[in-house]
Amino acid sequence: MEFSPYRKVTQMTSAKIDLNGKTLDLPVITGSEGEKALDITHLRKETGYITYDPGYVNTGSCSSDITFIDGEKGILRYRGIPIEELAVSASFLDVCYLLIYGRLPSETEVGEFAEQVTHHTMIHEDFKRFFDGYPMNAHPMGVLASTVAALSTFYPQGGNNDLDLNILRLLAKMKTLAAFAYKKSTGQPFMYPRNDLNFEENFLYMMFAVPAESYEPNKAIVDSLRLLLILHADHEQNCSTSTVRMVGSSGANLFISIAAGIAALSGRLHGGANQKVIEMLEMIQGDNGDYEKYVKMAKDRKSDFRLFGFGHRVYKNFDPRAKILKASADKVLNELGIDDPLLEIAKELEEIALKDEFFLERNLYPNVDFYSGIIYRALGIPTSMFTVMFALGRLPGWIAQWKELREDSKWRIYRPRQIYTGRTPDDLKDGV
Ligand code: CMC
Protein backbone atom coordinates (compact mmCIF):
# COMPACT_ATOMS: atom_id res chain seq x y z
CA MET A 1 0.00 0.00 0.00
CA GLU A 2 1.04 3.59 -0.57
CA PHE A 3 1.93 5.11 2.76
CA SER A 4 -1.00 7.42 3.38
CA PRO A 5 -0.15 11.14 3.44
CA TYR A 6 -2.53 11.49 6.39
CA ARG A 7 -0.87 8.84 8.51
CA LYS A 8 0.98 10.95 11.03
CA VAL A 9 2.13 8.34 13.51
CA THR A 10 5.40 9.60 14.92
CA GLN A 11 7.91 8.02 17.23
CA MET A 12 9.57 10.82 19.16
CA THR A 13 10.12 9.53 22.66
CA SER A 14 10.34 6.29 24.54
CA ALA A 15 9.28 5.00 27.95
CA LYS A 16 11.49 2.89 30.16
CA ILE A 17 10.23 -0.29 31.74
CA ASP A 18 12.16 -2.26 34.40
CA LEU A 19 11.50 -5.99 34.48
CA ASN A 20 13.60 -8.40 36.52
CA GLY A 21 16.55 -6.05 36.51
CA LYS A 22 16.39 -5.51 32.77
CA THR A 23 15.56 -2.04 31.40
CA LEU A 24 13.75 -1.82 28.12
CA ASP A 25 12.99 1.25 26.02
CA LEU A 26 9.44 1.15 24.68
CA PRO A 27 8.85 3.55 21.80
CA VAL A 28 6.02 6.06 22.38
CA ILE A 29 3.99 6.56 19.24
CA THR A 30 1.74 9.58 18.74
CA GLY A 31 -1.21 9.77 16.36
CA SER A 32 -2.23 12.78 14.28
CA GLU A 33 -4.66 13.96 17.03
CA GLY A 34 -2.02 13.60 19.75
CA GLU A 35 -3.15 10.19 21.07
CA LYS A 36 -0.21 8.35 22.61
CA ALA A 37 0.62 4.67 22.86
CA LEU A 38 3.46 2.48 24.06
CA ASP A 39 4.67 0.21 21.29
CA ILE A 40 5.04 -3.18 23.00
CA THR A 41 5.63 -5.21 19.81
CA HIS A 42 9.03 -6.48 21.05
CA LEU A 43 8.17 -6.79 24.75
CA ARG A 44 7.88 -10.58 24.84
CA LYS A 45 10.92 -11.17 22.68
CA GLU A 46 13.04 -8.94 24.95
CA THR A 47 11.61 -9.79 28.38
CA GLY A 48 9.39 -12.90 28.17
CA TYR A 49 6.40 -10.84 29.35
CA ILE A 50 3.16 -10.17 27.52
CA THR A 51 0.62 -7.48 28.38
CA TYR A 52 -2.69 -8.48 30.01
CA ASP A 53 -5.80 -6.55 28.99
CA PRO A 54 -9.07 -8.55 29.04
CA GLY A 55 -11.72 -6.97 26.85
CA TYR A 56 -8.98 -4.90 25.13
CA VAL A 57 -9.86 -1.94 27.35
CA ASN A 58 -6.46 -0.37 26.87
CA THR A 59 -5.13 -1.96 23.72
CA GLY A 60 -4.57 -0.26 20.38
CA SER A 61 -4.84 -3.05 17.80
CA CYS A 62 -3.86 -0.95 14.80
CA SER A 63 -3.21 2.54 13.54
CA SER A 64 -5.96 3.82 11.26
CA ASP A 65 -6.69 6.85 9.05
CA ILE A 66 -10.44 6.35 9.00
CA THR A 67 -12.27 7.53 12.13
CA PHE A 68 -11.32 9.64 15.12
CA ILE A 69 -13.17 9.57 18.44
CA ASP A 70 -12.38 11.65 21.51
CA GLY A 71 -14.54 9.99 24.13
CA GLU A 72 -13.86 12.63 26.79
CA LYS A 73 -14.86 15.54 24.55
CA GLY A 74 -17.63 13.70 22.67
CA ILE A 75 -15.97 14.10 19.25
CA LEU A 76 -16.55 11.83 16.25
CA ARG A 77 -15.00 12.49 12.83
CA TYR A 78 -14.88 10.43 9.64
CA ARG A 79 -11.66 11.09 7.70
CA GLY A 80 -11.29 14.35 9.64
CA ILE A 81 -14.83 15.63 8.98
CA PRO A 82 -17.06 16.15 12.07
CA ILE A 83 -20.12 13.89 12.19
CA GLU A 84 -22.33 16.96 12.80
CA GLU A 85 -21.28 18.38 9.42
CA LEU A 86 -21.86 15.13 7.50
CA ALA A 87 -25.22 14.68 9.24
CA VAL A 88 -26.43 17.92 7.68
CA SER A 89 -24.86 17.98 4.26
CA ALA A 90 -23.80 14.52 3.02
CA SER A 91 -25.65 11.70 1.33
CA PHE A 92 -25.10 8.18 2.64
CA LEU A 93 -23.26 7.26 -0.55
CA ASP A 94 -20.97 10.31 -0.08
CA VAL A 95 -20.12 8.89 3.35
CA CYS A 96 -19.57 5.38 1.96
CA TYR A 97 -17.14 6.79 -0.58
CA LEU A 98 -15.46 8.99 2.02
CA LEU A 99 -14.87 6.10 4.42
CA ILE A 100 -13.80 3.56 1.81
CA TYR A 101 -11.72 5.76 -0.51
CA GLY A 102 -10.50 8.42 1.93
CA ARG A 103 -12.12 11.61 0.61
CA LEU A 104 -15.51 12.98 -0.38
CA PRO A 105 -16.33 12.23 -4.01
CA SER A 106 -16.77 14.86 -6.72
CA GLU A 107 -20.23 15.17 -8.24
CA THR A 108 -19.19 12.99 -11.19
CA GLU A 109 -17.60 10.40 -8.91
CA VAL A 110 -20.63 10.10 -6.67
CA GLY A 111 -22.88 9.89 -9.72
CA GLU A 112 -20.86 6.96 -11.11
CA PHE A 113 -20.64 5.34 -7.68
CA ALA A 114 -24.43 5.61 -7.19
CA GLU A 115 -25.03 4.16 -10.65
CA GLN A 116 -22.80 1.18 -9.88
CA VAL A 117 -24.37 0.56 -6.48
CA THR A 118 -27.83 0.71 -8.08
CA HIS A 119 -26.78 -1.58 -10.93
CA HIS A 120 -25.66 -4.33 -8.53
CA THR A 121 -28.73 -4.26 -6.27
CA MET A 122 -30.30 -7.49 -7.54
CA ILE A 123 -29.36 -10.87 -6.14
CA HIS A 124 -28.95 -14.06 -8.13
CA GLU A 125 -32.30 -15.84 -8.62
CA ASP A 126 -30.86 -19.05 -7.12
CA PHE A 127 -30.12 -17.09 -3.99
CA LYS A 128 -33.81 -16.64 -3.23
CA ARG A 129 -34.03 -20.33 -2.33
CA PHE A 130 -31.84 -19.70 0.71
CA PHE A 131 -34.72 -17.81 2.24
CA ASP A 132 -37.04 -20.82 1.92
CA GLY A 133 -34.92 -22.70 4.46
CA TYR A 134 -35.32 -20.27 7.37
CA PRO A 135 -38.20 -20.56 9.81
CA MET A 136 -40.78 -17.75 9.65
CA ASN A 137 -39.71 -16.39 13.04
CA ALA A 138 -35.96 -16.41 12.24
CA HIS A 139 -34.28 -13.30 13.63
CA PRO A 140 -33.33 -11.10 10.64
CA MET A 141 -29.77 -10.64 12.00
CA GLY A 142 -29.15 -14.39 11.74
CA VAL A 143 -30.61 -14.36 8.24
CA LEU A 144 -28.49 -11.36 7.26
CA ALA A 145 -25.24 -12.80 8.63
CA SER A 146 -25.73 -16.13 6.90
CA THR A 147 -26.86 -14.72 3.55
CA VAL A 148 -23.97 -12.22 3.46
CA ALA A 149 -21.59 -15.13 4.14
CA ALA A 150 -23.30 -17.02 1.32
CA LEU A 151 -22.51 -14.16 -1.10
CA SER A 152 -18.90 -15.35 -0.94
CA THR A 153 -19.95 -18.56 -2.71
CA PHE A 154 -21.38 -16.55 -5.60
CA TYR A 155 -18.49 -14.07 -5.76
CA PRO A 156 -15.32 -15.86 -4.67
CA GLN A 157 -12.45 -13.46 -4.46
CA GLY A 158 -9.15 -14.48 -5.94
CA GLY A 159 -6.50 -11.99 -4.85
CA ASN A 160 -7.71 -8.43 -4.59
CA ASN A 161 -8.29 -7.89 -8.32
CA ASP A 162 -12.03 -7.86 -8.03
CA LEU A 163 -12.14 -6.10 -4.66
CA ASP A 164 -13.63 -2.84 -5.95
CA LEU A 165 -16.36 -4.77 -7.74
CA ASN A 166 -17.11 -6.87 -4.65
CA ILE A 167 -17.30 -3.70 -2.54
CA LEU A 168 -19.95 -2.32 -4.91
CA ARG A 169 -21.80 -5.64 -4.90
CA LEU A 170 -21.87 -5.79 -1.14
CA LEU A 171 -23.00 -2.17 -0.70
CA ALA A 172 -25.73 -2.78 -3.25
CA LYS A 173 -26.92 -6.23 -2.25
CA MET A 174 -26.91 -6.09 1.53
CA LYS A 175 -29.98 -3.87 1.63
CA THR A 176 -31.78 -6.28 -0.74
CA LEU A 177 -30.91 -9.17 1.58
CA ALA A 178 -32.06 -7.15 4.60
CA ALA A 179 -35.40 -6.30 2.98
CA PHE A 180 -35.88 -9.92 1.83
CA ALA A 181 -35.19 -11.12 5.39
CA TYR A 182 -38.02 -8.86 6.54
CA LYS A 183 -40.38 -9.94 3.76
CA LYS A 184 -39.67 -13.56 4.68
CA SER A 185 -40.72 -12.87 8.28
CA THR A 186 -44.03 -11.34 7.14
CA GLY A 187 -44.76 -13.95 4.47
CA GLN A 188 -45.14 -11.22 1.83
CA PRO A 189 -43.63 -11.59 -1.66
CA PHE A 190 -40.10 -10.27 -2.19
CA MET A 191 -40.01 -6.93 -3.96
CA TYR A 192 -37.28 -6.57 -6.56
CA PRO A 193 -35.21 -3.39 -6.38
CA ARG A 194 -36.23 -0.42 -8.49
CA ASN A 195 -33.33 1.27 -10.25
CA ASP A 196 -35.10 4.62 -10.59
CA LEU A 197 -34.94 5.08 -6.80
CA ASN A 198 -32.00 6.26 -4.71
CA PHE A 199 -30.30 4.09 -2.06
CA GLU A 200 -32.62 4.87 0.85
CA GLU A 201 -35.82 4.96 -1.28
CA ASN A 202 -34.96 1.63 -2.86
CA PHE A 203 -34.52 -0.02 0.53
CA LEU A 204 -37.82 1.40 1.82
CA TYR A 205 -39.54 0.26 -1.37
CA MET A 206 -38.24 -3.31 -0.99
CA MET A 207 -39.30 -3.32 2.67
CA PHE A 208 -42.74 -1.79 2.46
CA ALA A 209 -44.13 -2.04 -1.07
CA VAL A 210 -46.50 -4.86 -1.98
CA PRO A 211 -47.29 -5.88 -5.58
CA ALA A 212 -50.97 -4.98 -5.35
CA GLU A 213 -50.43 -1.36 -4.33
CA SER A 214 -48.43 1.64 -5.50
CA TYR A 215 -45.68 2.91 -3.22
CA GLU A 216 -44.16 6.37 -2.94
CA PRO A 217 -41.40 6.81 -0.35
CA ASN A 218 -42.11 9.66 2.07
CA LYS A 219 -39.46 12.44 1.93
CA ALA A 220 -39.19 12.84 5.72
CA ILE A 221 -38.73 9.08 6.13
CA VAL A 222 -36.07 8.96 3.41
CA ASP A 223 -34.13 11.82 5.02
CA SER A 224 -34.29 10.27 8.50
CA LEU A 225 -33.01 7.01 7.11
CA ARG A 226 -30.12 8.89 5.46
CA LEU A 227 -29.24 10.45 8.82
CA LEU A 228 -29.43 7.15 10.72
CA LEU A 229 -27.22 5.38 8.19
CA ILE A 230 -24.61 8.15 8.29
CA LEU A 231 -24.50 8.25 12.10
CA HIS A 232 -23.83 4.50 12.25
CA ALA A 233 -21.34 4.38 9.36
CA ASP A 234 -18.13 3.89 11.34
CA HIS A 235 -16.92 3.92 14.92
CA GLU A 236 -13.27 2.87 14.81
CA GLN A 237 -12.24 -0.37 16.57
CA ASN A 238 -15.55 -1.41 18.17
CA CYS A 239 -16.42 -5.09 18.70
CA SER A 240 -17.86 -5.82 15.25
CA THR A 241 -15.21 -3.81 13.38
CA SER A 242 -12.43 -5.54 15.31
CA THR A 243 -14.12 -8.83 14.39
CA VAL A 244 -14.13 -7.87 10.71
CA ARG A 245 -10.42 -7.02 10.96
CA MET A 246 -9.70 -10.17 12.97
CA VAL A 247 -11.37 -12.45 10.41
CA GLY A 248 -9.95 -10.47 7.49
CA SER A 249 -6.46 -10.74 8.98
CA SER A 250 -6.45 -14.49 8.29
CA GLY A 251 -6.88 -13.79 4.58
CA ALA A 252 -10.64 -14.52 4.61
CA ASN A 253 -12.63 -12.82 1.87
CA LEU A 254 -14.64 -9.62 2.23
CA PHE A 255 -18.14 -11.17 2.41
CA ILE A 256 -17.21 -13.76 5.04
CA SER A 257 -15.37 -11.16 7.14
CA ILE A 258 -18.36 -8.79 7.07
CA ALA A 259 -20.72 -11.67 7.92
CA ALA A 260 -18.62 -12.19 11.06
CA GLY A 261 -19.00 -8.48 11.85
CA ILE A 262 -22.78 -8.79 11.53
CA ALA A 263 -22.70 -11.71 13.98
CA ALA A 264 -20.69 -9.64 16.48
CA LEU A 265 -23.03 -6.69 16.08
CA SER A 266 -26.09 -8.78 16.94
CA GLY A 267 -25.19 -9.05 20.65
CA ARG A 268 -27.18 -7.02 23.20
CA LEU A 269 -24.13 -5.14 24.47
CA HIS A 270 -23.37 -3.92 20.93
CA GLY A 271 -25.83 -3.30 18.07
CA GLY A 272 -28.47 -5.56 19.59
CA ALA A 273 -28.92 -2.90 22.27
CA ASN A 274 -31.19 -0.83 19.99
CA GLN A 275 -33.83 -3.58 20.04
CA LYS A 276 -33.36 -4.01 23.80
CA VAL A 277 -33.93 -0.27 24.41
CA ILE A 278 -37.41 -0.39 22.88
CA GLU A 279 -38.26 -3.60 24.71
CA MET A 280 -37.12 -1.92 27.95
CA LEU A 281 -39.18 1.24 27.27
CA GLU A 282 -42.20 -0.94 26.52
CA MET A 283 -41.69 -2.79 29.82
CA ILE A 284 -41.59 0.54 31.66
CA GLN A 285 -44.75 1.62 29.87
CA GLY A 286 -46.44 -1.67 30.80
CA ASP A 287 -45.35 -1.09 34.40
CA ASN A 288 -47.24 2.25 34.52
CA GLY A 289 -44.06 4.27 34.03
CA ASP A 290 -42.27 2.85 37.08
CA TYR A 291 -38.82 4.21 36.07
CA GLU A 292 -37.37 3.82 39.54
CA LYS A 293 -37.83 0.06 39.41
CA TYR A 294 -35.70 -0.22 36.25
CA VAL A 295 -33.05 2.24 37.41
CA LYS A 296 -32.81 0.28 40.66
CA MET A 297 -32.52 -3.01 38.76
CA ALA A 298 -29.76 -1.55 36.55
CA LYS A 299 -27.82 -0.51 39.66
CA ASP A 300 -28.27 -3.86 41.41
CA ARG A 301 -24.92 -5.68 41.15
CA LYS A 302 -26.71 -9.04 41.52
CA SER A 303 -28.94 -8.44 38.50
CA ASP A 304 -27.57 -8.63 34.94
CA PHE A 305 -30.13 -6.05 33.81
CA ARG A 306 -28.62 -2.85 32.36
CA LEU A 307 -30.15 0.38 31.19
CA PHE A 308 -29.88 -0.40 27.50
CA GLY A 309 -28.76 2.54 25.39
CA PHE A 310 -26.62 3.85 28.27
CA GLY A 311 -22.86 3.72 28.69
CA HIS A 312 -20.03 3.32 26.24
CA ARG A 313 -16.51 1.94 26.33
CA VAL A 314 -15.08 5.08 24.70
CA TYR A 315 -17.51 7.94 25.37
CA LYS A 316 -17.23 9.24 28.90
CA ASN A 317 -19.28 12.22 27.91
CA PHE A 318 -22.33 12.52 25.65
CA ASP A 319 -22.22 10.35 22.55
CA PRO A 320 -22.43 12.99 19.77
CA ARG A 321 -24.64 10.63 17.73
CA ALA A 322 -27.15 10.40 20.59
CA LYS A 323 -27.33 14.20 20.77
CA ILE A 324 -28.16 14.44 17.07
CA LEU A 325 -30.71 11.63 17.30
CA LYS A 326 -32.48 13.07 20.34
CA ALA A 327 -33.08 16.32 18.46
CA SER A 328 -34.02 14.42 15.33
CA ALA A 329 -36.55 12.19 17.15
CA ASP A 330 -38.68 15.22 18.04
CA LYS A 331 -38.44 16.61 14.51
CA VAL A 332 -39.28 13.33 12.72
CA LEU A 333 -42.20 12.47 14.97
CA ASN A 334 -43.57 15.99 14.44
CA GLU A 335 -43.14 15.82 10.68
CA LEU A 336 -44.83 12.44 10.51
CA GLY A 337 -47.58 13.49 12.93
CA ILE A 338 -46.73 10.65 15.32
CA ASP A 339 -47.23 10.87 19.06
CA ASP A 340 -45.15 8.05 20.52
CA PRO A 341 -45.41 7.76 24.32
CA LEU A 342 -42.09 5.86 24.30
CA LEU A 343 -40.28 9.11 23.39
CA GLU A 344 -41.54 10.77 26.57
CA ILE A 345 -40.65 7.68 28.60
CA ALA A 346 -37.12 7.72 27.10
CA LYS A 347 -36.67 11.42 27.92
CA GLU A 348 -37.83 10.96 31.51
CA LEU A 349 -35.67 7.90 31.99
CA GLU A 350 -32.66 9.84 30.69
CA GLU A 351 -33.39 12.70 33.06
CA ILE A 352 -33.68 10.39 36.06
CA ALA A 353 -30.53 8.42 35.20
CA LEU A 354 -28.48 11.55 34.59
CA LYS A 355 -29.26 12.79 38.11
CA ASP A 356 -28.36 9.48 39.71
CA GLU A 357 -24.99 9.12 41.51
CA PHE A 358 -24.45 5.62 40.10
CA PHE A 359 -24.64 6.81 36.49
CA LEU A 360 -22.78 10.08 37.17
CA GLU A 361 -19.88 8.33 38.91
CA ARG A 362 -19.48 5.90 36.03
CA ASN A 363 -19.98 8.47 33.26
CA LEU A 364 -22.93 6.60 31.82
CA TYR A 365 -24.70 8.74 29.22
CA PRO A 366 -27.18 7.81 26.47
CA ASN A 367 -25.45 6.22 23.49
CA VAL A 368 -26.48 6.01 19.82
CA ASP A 369 -28.94 3.20 20.53
CA PHE A 370 -31.01 5.13 23.06
CA TYR A 371 -33.03 7.28 20.63
CA SER A 372 -32.46 5.46 17.33
CA GLY A 373 -35.16 2.87 18.02
CA ILE A 374 -37.80 5.54 18.55
CA ILE A 375 -37.00 6.95 15.12
CA TYR A 376 -36.95 3.50 13.48
CA ARG A 377 -40.42 2.88 14.96
CA ALA A 378 -41.66 6.16 13.54
CA LEU A 379 -40.34 5.11 10.11
CA GLY A 380 -42.36 1.90 10.39
CA ILE A 381 -39.33 -0.36 10.86
CA PRO A 382 -40.26 -3.33 13.09
CA THR A 383 -38.26 -3.83 16.30
CA SER A 384 -36.64 -7.09 15.14
CA MET A 385 -35.11 -5.19 12.19
CA PHE A 386 -33.43 -2.44 14.27
CA THR A 387 -30.04 -4.14 14.49
CA VAL A 388 -30.20 -4.93 10.77
CA MET A 389 -30.57 -1.17 10.21
CA PHE A 390 -27.45 -0.62 12.32
CA ALA A 391 -25.62 -3.19 10.16
CA LEU A 392 -26.69 -1.44 6.94
CA GLY A 393 -25.28 1.81 8.27
CA ARG A 394 -22.06 0.22 9.59
CA LEU A 395 -21.33 -1.59 6.31
CA PRO A 396 -19.11 1.10 4.71
CA GLY A 397 -17.09 1.37 7.93
CA TRP A 398 -16.51 -2.38 8.03
CA ILE A 399 -15.49 -2.35 4.36
CA ALA A 400 -13.13 0.61 4.86
CA GLN A 401 -11.49 -1.01 7.90
CA TRP A 402 -11.13 -4.39 6.16
CA LYS A 403 -9.61 -2.67 3.10
CA GLU A 404 -7.24 -0.60 5.23
CA LEU A 405 -6.00 -3.73 7.02
CA ARG A 406 -5.49 -5.67 3.82
CA GLU A 407 -3.69 -2.82 2.09
CA ASP A 408 -1.35 -2.24 5.02
CA SER A 409 2.17 -3.37 4.18
CA LYS A 410 2.56 -4.35 7.87
CA TRP A 411 -0.57 -6.54 7.86
CA ARG A 412 -0.19 -9.65 10.05
CA ILE A 413 -2.69 -12.21 11.26
CA TYR A 414 -4.43 -11.10 14.50
CA ARG A 415 -3.37 -13.50 17.21
CA PRO A 416 -3.56 -12.36 20.84
CA ARG A 417 -1.80 -14.30 23.60
CA GLN A 418 -3.22 -15.47 26.93
CA ILE A 419 -2.25 -16.24 30.50
CA TYR A 420 -2.96 -19.93 31.06
CA THR A 421 -4.65 -20.62 34.42
CA GLY A 422 -5.71 -24.26 33.95
CA ARG A 423 -4.33 -27.47 35.42
CA THR A 424 -0.67 -28.44 35.09
CA PRO A 425 0.72 -31.98 34.76
CA ASP A 426 1.76 -31.69 38.46
CA ASP A 427 -1.86 -30.93 39.43
CA LEU A 428 -2.93 -34.07 37.60
CA LYS A 429 -0.35 -36.11 39.52
CA ASP A 430 -1.79 -34.68 42.74
CA GLY A 431 -5.30 -35.67 41.59
CA VAL A 432 -6.59 -32.08 41.41
N1 CMC B 1 -26.57 0.15 32.96
C1 CMC B 1 -26.12 -0.07 34.22
N2 CMC B 1 -24.82 -0.12 34.57
C2 CMC B 1 -23.94 0.04 33.58
C3 CMC B 1 -24.32 0.28 32.24
C4 CMC B 1 -25.69 0.33 31.95
N3 CMC B 1 -26.13 0.53 30.70
N4 CMC B 1 -23.21 0.40 31.48
C5 CMC B 1 -22.17 0.26 32.32
N5 CMC B 1 -22.61 0.04 33.59
C6 CMC B 1 -21.79 -0.11 34.79
C7 CMC B 1 -21.16 -1.47 34.89
O1 CMC B 1 -21.98 -2.37 35.59
C8 CMC B 1 -19.87 -1.16 35.60
O2 CMC B 1 -20.15 -0.95 36.95
P1 CMC B 1 -19.09 -1.41 38.09
O3 CMC B 1 -17.86 -0.60 37.82
O4 CMC B 1 -19.76 -1.10 39.37
O5 CMC B 1 -18.87 -2.88 37.88
C9 CMC B 1 -19.47 0.18 35.01
O6 CMC B 1 -20.69 0.81 34.66
C10 CMC B 1 -18.55 0.08 33.81
O7 CMC B 1 -19.20 -0.74 32.85
P2 CMC B 1 -18.49 -1.81 31.96
O8 CMC B 1 -19.44 -2.87 31.57
O9 CMC B 1 -17.21 -2.22 32.61
O10 CMC B 1 -18.12 -0.89 30.72
P3 CMC B 1 -17.67 -1.40 29.32
O11 CMC B 1 -16.89 -0.33 28.73
O12 CMC B 1 -17.06 -2.76 29.44
O13 CMC B 1 -19.06 -1.62 28.53
C11 CMC B 1 -21.06 -1.14 27.38
C12 CMC B 1 -19.62 -0.69 27.69
C13 CMC B 1 -21.61 -0.31 26.24
C14 CMC B 1 -21.07 -2.61 26.92
C15 CMC B 1 -21.92 -0.96 28.65
O14 CMC B 1 -21.97 0.40 29.01
C16 CMC B 1 -23.33 -1.53 28.48
O15 CMC B 1 -23.53 -2.72 28.74
N6 CMC B 1 -24.33 -0.68 28.06
C17 CMC B 1 -25.65 -1.19 27.79
C18 CMC B 1 -25.70 -1.83 26.41
C19 CMC B 1 -25.63 -0.78 25.32
O16 CMC B 1 -26.35 0.21 25.33
N7 CMC B 1 -24.80 -1.07 24.30
C20 CMC B 1 -24.67 -0.19 23.13
C21 CMC B 1 -23.32 0.48 23.06
S1 CMC B 1 -23.27 1.85 21.88
C22 CMC B 1 -23.52 1.15 20.35
C23 CMC B 1 -22.44 0.21 19.95
O17 CMC B 1 -21.39 0.66 19.48
O18 CMC B 1 -22.62 -0.99 20.09
Side-chain angles (χ1 to χ4, degrees):
M1 181 188 97
E2 295 281 304
F3 204 66
S4 157
Y6 307 111
R7 197 182 293 251
K8 290 188 196 137
V9 172
T10 48
Q11 299 188 0
M12 305 283 283
T13 51
S14 67
K16 287 199 190 319
I17 181 166
D18 284 321
L19 279 175
N20 296 337
K22 186 170 178 184
T23 303
L24 186 71
D25 274 331
L26 295 178
V28 173
I29 61 170
T30 307
S32 52
E33 290 280 357
E35 288 179 311
K36 293 192 167 33
L38 295 181
D39 180 349
I40 50 101
T41 322
H42 299 293
L43 184 66
R44 187 170 183 278
K45 203 163 104 197
E46 300 286 338
T47 66
Y49 282 67
I50 61 166
T51 54
Y52 180 64
D53 183 21
Y56 309 137
V57 179
N58 207 36
T59 293
S61 59
C62 60
S63 63
S64 175
D65 293 352
I66 303 171
T67 290
F68 174 69
I69 301 177
D70 183 326
E72 275 70 35
K73 295 192 186 135
I75 292 174
L76 169 61
R77 299 188 195 122
Y78 299 159
R79 302 279 188 187
I81 307 178
I83 190 68
E84 293 79 4
E85 211 176 300
L86 293 166
V88 174
S89 60
S91 73
F92 180 57
L93 287 182
D94 285 335
V95 170
C96 292
Y97 194 101
L98 171 72
L99 289 167
I100 298 169
Y101 299 109
R103 59 170 176 80
L104 281 170
S106 66
E107 227 170 276
T108 322
E109 283 168 334
V110 79
E112 283 167 9
F113 189 59
E115 203 180 302
Q116 288 291 320
V117 171
T118 308
H119 173 73
H120 288 286
T121 311
M122 273 191 280
I123 54 172
H124 196 287
E125 280 296 291
D126 288 348
F127 208 98
K128 285 199 315 192
R129 273 189 256 131
F130 276 85
F131 289 91
D132 294 339
Y134 297 105
M136 273 288 279
N137 60 355
H139 195 284
M141 277 301 269
V143 177
L144 189 67
S146 46
T147 50
V148 168
L151 283 178
S152 67
T153 62
F154 286 75
Y155 309 107
Q157 196 174 295
N160 277 344
N161 300 340
D162 42 10
L163 179 60
D164 280 331
L165 181 55
N166 278 349
I167 288 175
L168 291 168
R169 283 178 174 140
L170 186 51
L171 283 171
K173 292 180 200 306
M174 198 159 109
K175 66 178 179 312
T176 311
L177 296 175
F180 279 22
Y182 171 60
K183 286 296 196 193
K184 164 80 193 181
S185 72
T186 60
Q188 288 179 4
F190 298 140
M191 296 300 288
Y192 283 61
R194 258 179 52 189
N195 287 4
D196 59 317
L197 299 175
N198 73 21
F199 189 95
E200 293 85 350
E201 291 167 343
N202 215 346
F203 172 70
L204 292 166
Y205 170 78
M206 289 188 280
M207 282 280 291
F208 297 121
V210 284
E213 291 165 23
S214 66
Y215 178 82
E216 270 314 307
N218 173 305
K219 211 175 152 310
I221 294 183
V222 171
D223 195 53
S224 297
L225 182 56
R226 175 199 68 85
L227 176 70
L228 283 157
L229 293 172
I230 289 176
L231 294 183
H232 287 86
D234 195 47
H235 215 232
E236 51 117 305
Q237 307 312 316
N238 58 83
C239 175
S240 55
T241 302
S242 298
T243 302
V244 169
R245 279 187 177 256
M246 169 77 82
V247 176
S249 79
S250 74
N253 98 352
L254 178 71
F255 301 104
I256 293 265
S257 307
I258 302 274
I262 297 170
L265 187 75
S266 69
R268 68 195 161 88
L269 298 184
H270 194 7
N274 59 12
Q275 175 172 340
K276 287 290 195 184
V277 170
I278 291 295
E279 288 167 2
M280 174 183 77
L281 296 176
E282 283 171 343
M283 281 197 302
I284 297 176
Q285 185 184 34
D287 246 343
N288 298 320
D290 189 354
Y291 303 93
E292 292 301 342
K293 175 175 159 190
Y294 291 86
V295 171
K296 214 169 142 194
M297 238 157 60
K299 295 194 297 188
D300 180 358
R301 314 323 289 135
K302 284 186 223 107
S303 149
D304 69 351
F305 178 82
R306 294 194 159 201
L307 271 200
F308 288 100
F310 264 77
H312 199 275
R313 172 64 61 79
V314 181
Y315 293 120
K316 298 303 167 200
N317 193 326
F318 262 93
D319 178 338
R321 304 167 300 174
K323 261 195 204 168
I324 298 173
L325 285 180
K326 185 178 179 184
S328 168
D330 275 322
K331 185 169 160 270
V332 177
L333 267 64
N334 256 334
E335 276 173 5
L336 297 174
I338 293 173
D339 179 20
D340 187 346
L342 292 196
L343 178 57
E344 284 320 304
I345 294 178
K347 283 183 183 170
E348 283 190 45
L349 183 63
E350 176 186 345
E351 212 180 303
I352 291 168
L354 291 184
K355 281 190 202 133
D356 193 296
E357 257 326 288
F358 177 94
F359 291 86
L360 287 173
E361 263 170 23
R362 291 169 177 76
N363 296 313
L364 302 173
Y365 292 93
N367 60 47
V368 68
D369 292 324
F370 195 65
Y371 285 103
S372 64
I374 295 193
I375 305 182
Y376 289 134
R377 261 162 74 93
L379 308 191
I381 310 271
T383 314
S384 65
M385 281 291 288
F386 287 3
T387 316
V388 168
M389 302 307 297
F390 192 150
L392 278 182
R394 184 54 53 86
L395 180 61
W398 287 331
I399 295 174
Q401 302 270 352
W402 186 95
K403 188 168 178 288
E404 185 178 67
L405 166 96
R406 294 288 280 263
E407 290 176 349
D408 190 335
S409 56
K410 287 188 255 148
W411 157 39
R412 298 177 79 181
I413 189 165
Y414 276 30
R415 204 311 185 178
R417 298 225 175 218
Q418 65 163 15
I419 298 292
Y420 177 67
T421 53
R423 288 187 298 190
T424 64
D426 283 345
D427 291 333
L428 292 176
K429 264 190 263 155
D430 297 342
V432 178

